[in-house]
Amino acid sequence: MIHIGLTGSIGMGKSTTARMFREAGVPVYDADAAVADLYVPGGAAVEPLEAAFPGVTRDGAVDREALRIRVLGDDAAMTRLNAVVHSLLGRDRLEFHRKAEASGADVLVFDIPLLFETGGERNMDAVVVVTAPAEVQRARVLAREGMTPERLDAILARQTPDAQKRERADFIIDTGQGLEAARAEVARVLAAVRDPAFRSRRPPPAD
């Protein structure tokens, strides 16, 4: 089973690209959706995050804005947050993989915004980076409710720069060229990884 890591900086069109993979019949693990499930009332992250950051929960759920304010610009706090969330996500990904394998899927896509930042690319057979011109990216993000240039800059400061992501990618999908062009690139990626000549980026297992 081929594992594709799908990543890209904020506003690059990664969610739209993930939907195109789903439309092509490929199971997609959505890390953002999985995190949201952890934060709802009764979610697995509520108690450990309240313990790590007292006051960031409300009515039995994680208050995402309160948590964002608590960790923004604090590397140590971000490390604590990631330690809690990534441990829980690891279990969730294993369950996703089990179900996909049982369904007979030959390719899986893992939609993970911080793939490179967390070292997750080491577990992938191929990495797809979604990109777009910087001016398109900023326009998309600043059109979101509540977004400001300062908040956008703070988010980008925590993410691997787009240029570095593209350098480390096996495939690049430029959403600035329009939906049909992106859809054609998705088809190209799937054809490439299903080709018998495809070689995984993962090192072979040690003897």
Side-chain angles (χ1 to χ4, degrees):
M1 189 182 296
I2 300 296
H3 292 190
I4 296 175
L6 178 68
T7 194
S9 299
I10 185 172
M12 292 301 198
K14 183 174 56 58
S15 296
T16 298
T17 305
R19 186 172 67 247
M20 292 175 180
F21 276 105
R22 286 194 187 93
E23 291 169 352
V26 177
V28 176
Y29 178 81
D30 185 335
D32 280 346
V35 170
D37 288 341
L38 295 176
Y39 287 2
V40 299
V46 177
E47 288 189 10
L49 286 180
E50 177 62 26
F53 307 100
V56 300
T57 63
R58 180 177 302 171
D59 300 325
V62 175
D63 183 331
R64 299 189 71 147
E65 182 62 16
L67 180 61
R68 183 189 71 82
I69 292 171
R70 181 69 66 87
V71 304
L72 190 63
D74 185 335
D75 290 342
M78 282 298 301
T79 298
R80 294 200 305 275
L81 171 61
N82 288 335
V84 171
V85 173
H86 292 159
S87 174
L88 295 171
L89 287 179
R91 302 174 202 169
D92 192 58
R93 283 197 297 271
L94 286 175
E95 180 63 12
F96 165 79
H97 189 280
R98 185 191 66 78
K99 290 180 178 178
E101 188 173 37
S103 75
D106 64 332
V107 177
L108 302 182
V109 168
F110 293 83
D111 176 355
I112 304 177
L114 299 180
L115 182 71
F116 289 124
E117 292 82 351
T118 59
E121 79 279 6
R122 293 191 295 268
N123 301 316
M124 301 299 159
D125 296 295
V127 170
V128 175
V129 167
V130 182
T131 189
E135 63 273 15
V136 173
Q137 176 193 29
R138 292 192 74 84
R140 288 172 176 171
V141 179
L142 292 176
R144 300 178 184 180
E145 184 177 355
M147 185 58 67
T148 65
E150 294 76 19
R151 184 176 175 186
L152 171 57
D153 290 340
I155 292 171
L156 291 175
R158 297 199 309 270
Q159 297 183 341
T160 300
D162 178 58
Q164 291 183 24
K165 285 188 172 83
R166 287 186 277 112
E167 288 176 358
R168 299 168 67 181
D170 299 294
F171 302 95
I172 297 172
I173 295 178
D174 185 348
T175 62
Q177 303 301 311
L179 293 178
E180 290 310 309
R183 190 170 285 109
E185 287 301 299
V186 166
R188 182 179 71 85
V189 170
L190 291 175
V193 300
R194 285 170 168 151
D195 189 311
F198 171 72
R199 294 292 178 267
S200 171
R201 67 186 284 131
R202 287 193 278 188
D207 294 334

